[in-house]
Amino acid sequence: MSTAKTTAKTTATIIDGKQLSATVRETLVARIKAAGRPVRLDAVLVGSDRSAAIYAENQAKTCTAVGIDYRLHRLPDGAGYDDIAGRILLLNTEDDARAIMLHLPLPAGVDVERIQSLIAPEKDVEGVNPANIGNVVYGRRSLVPCTALASIEMIESTGVELRGSRCVIVGASNIVGKPIAVLLMRAEATVISTNKFTRGIADLTRSADVLVAAAGVPGLIKGDMVKPGAVVIDVGINRITGPDGKSMTVGDVAFDEVREVAGYLSPVPGGVGPMTVAMLLRNTVDAALR
Ligand code: NAD
């Protein structure tokens, strides 16, 4: 274990989310083979949202590649709370359905959190049921929200000593920023959680050995907001219009500036995104083989 890099260097080491996720997937293939039992993921998709459908198609391919049987339950555009709740409750009762996830968005007017709270906690592979979020706080064995898990895995891959280190999280949503903060607290780091109302945020981020950006604001974290040698994890996924007029995906970190200062930096795309997918697969295997 090392502390955050402090030696002079030109550019940050890139934390390769694709590579790390490939390693996780290899481990899962081996676990599924060794278990000799089928592993299945039941995903509920409501309506005809194009992005959600593409996401589901990709998910089906990724699952098949590691040996997970992917079952997509499609509900029509007009489906309401009772229809969606009914499908989730039915899956809860099926012994063979051990891993359940819900694609977003849901139709307007359907309360997402109310639906998520219906997924049986032991089958909730996205970790979105409040019971699982509570388990994160208590440190109980449970299914942890995938993006939070992905961020922690990426931090740990650098070898940074978390105990006693100062971690600053920019963004405090229930499903991303808060669980990341709690997982870092569990690792006995000193954690500062910030949000859009935080005053003097640059002074806080500059003090961080580990900085996690999860605000959904493109380029929010500039080079002069980062401590030299820090580990910087970029969770943001933002679609913007690039200099060539084409749409592109960027994170919350001004990549070119920050890579001159940080010790380790996760890119977007190719960072937390692929690792989040890998953590969903790992949660699925954990739930199925429990
Ligand atoms: P959210 O909108 O629910 O929460 C944003 C949080 O950031 C809030 O706490 C808000 O107060 C804070 N914030 C906003 N502007 C800020 C500012 N200028 N300074 C400091 N804090 C600020 O968003 P979310 O669902 O937590 O997602 C955050 C980002 O992470 C988004 O870009 C989202 O697309 C991305 N995301 C990525 C993955 C992944 O797999 N990589 C998964 C989920 C979300």
Side-chain angles (χ1 to χ4, degrees):
M1 290 291 217
S2 62
T3 52
K5 288 186 182 180
T6 49
T7 47
K9 65 189 286 295
T10 47
T11 55
T13 301
I14 300 302
I15 310 172
D16 186 343
K18 282 190 195 160
Q19 181 60 52
L20 286 172
S21 66
T23 307
V24 172
R25 287 200 304 269
E26 276 169 27
T27 316
L28 296 178
V29 170
R31 275 180 68 192
I32 293 170
K33 275 193 188 136
R37 277 195 276 150
V39 173
R40 176 174 136 187
L41 174 60
D42 287 79
V44 176
L45 173 66
V46 187
S48 50
D49 181 83
R50 186 75 197 119
S51 313
I54 293 171
Y55 183 64
E57 274 168 31
N58 288 333
Q59 200 172 48
K61 285 184 202 148
T62 315
C63 282
T64 308
V66 293
I68 295 173
D69 175 12
Y70 185 73
R71 307 272 173 105
L72 186 62
H73 303 263
R74 280 178 171 272
L75 297 178
D77 278 311
Y81 175 86
D82 288 343
D83 306 302
I84 306 165
R87 183 59 63 106
I88 300 273
L89 294 173
L90 186 66
L91 289 169
N92 282 349
T93 63
E94 276 185 31
D95 280 346
D96 291 342
R98 293 171 148 247
I100 302 172
M101 68 151 294
L102 176 68
H103 285 286
L104 297 181
L106 295 184
V110 178
D111 184 337
V112 174
E113 285 184 20
R114 209 170 142 215
I115 294 281
Q116 288 173 329
S117 68
L118 296 175
I119 303 172
E122 69 280 9
K123 301 186 178 191
D124 166 34
V125 287
E126 291 179 295
V128 290
N129 184 315
N132 278 329
I133 298 179
N135 283 332
V136 175
V137 174
Y138 282 94
R140 293 192 190 124
R141 187 164 170 268
S142 69
L143 295 164
V144 176
C146 305
T147 303
L149 263 186
S151 304
I152 300 298
E153 291 274 330
M154 296 187 82
I155 295 168
E156 287 181 341
S157 76
T158 68
V160 69
E161 171 74 64
L162 279 175
R163 179 176 288 159
S165 73
R166 182 183 268 236
C167 302
V168 174
I169 322 302
V170 179
S173 69
N174 288 337
I175 202 66
V176 184
K178 279 186 202 163
I180 293 172
V182 172
L183 290 172
L184 290 168
M185 285 164 74
R186 277 172 49 183
E188 298 178 301
T190 302
V191 180
I192 299 173
S193 164
T194 69
N195 58 60
K196 62 183 167 196
F197 301 109
T198 301
R199 288 187 287 271
I201 203 163
D203 287 337
L204 297 171
T205 58
R206 253 193 306 274
S207 73
D209 302 308
V210 176
L211 175 59
V212 182
V217 180
L220 176 67
I221 305 298
K222 310 273 188 258
D224 63 2
M225 294 169 73
V226 173
K227 179 176 174 176
V231 174
V232 180
I233 304 297
D234 191 352
V235 181
I237 299 181
N238 310 294
R239 291 299 289 176
I240 62 160
T241 305
D244 57 0
K246 289 188 186 150
S247 173
M248 63 186 288
T249 301
V250 296
D252 288 356
V253 172
F255 185 85
D256 291 339
E257 284 181 28
V258 171
R259 80 179 301 184
E260 301 300 321
V261 186
Y264 296 89
L265 173 60
S266 75
V268 176
V272 176
M275 236 353 222
T276 297
V277 175
M279 292 301 103
L280 177 75
L281 300 176
R282 194 171 80 185
N283 277 351
T284 298
V285 174
D286 286 348
L289 300 183
R290 191 174 353 224

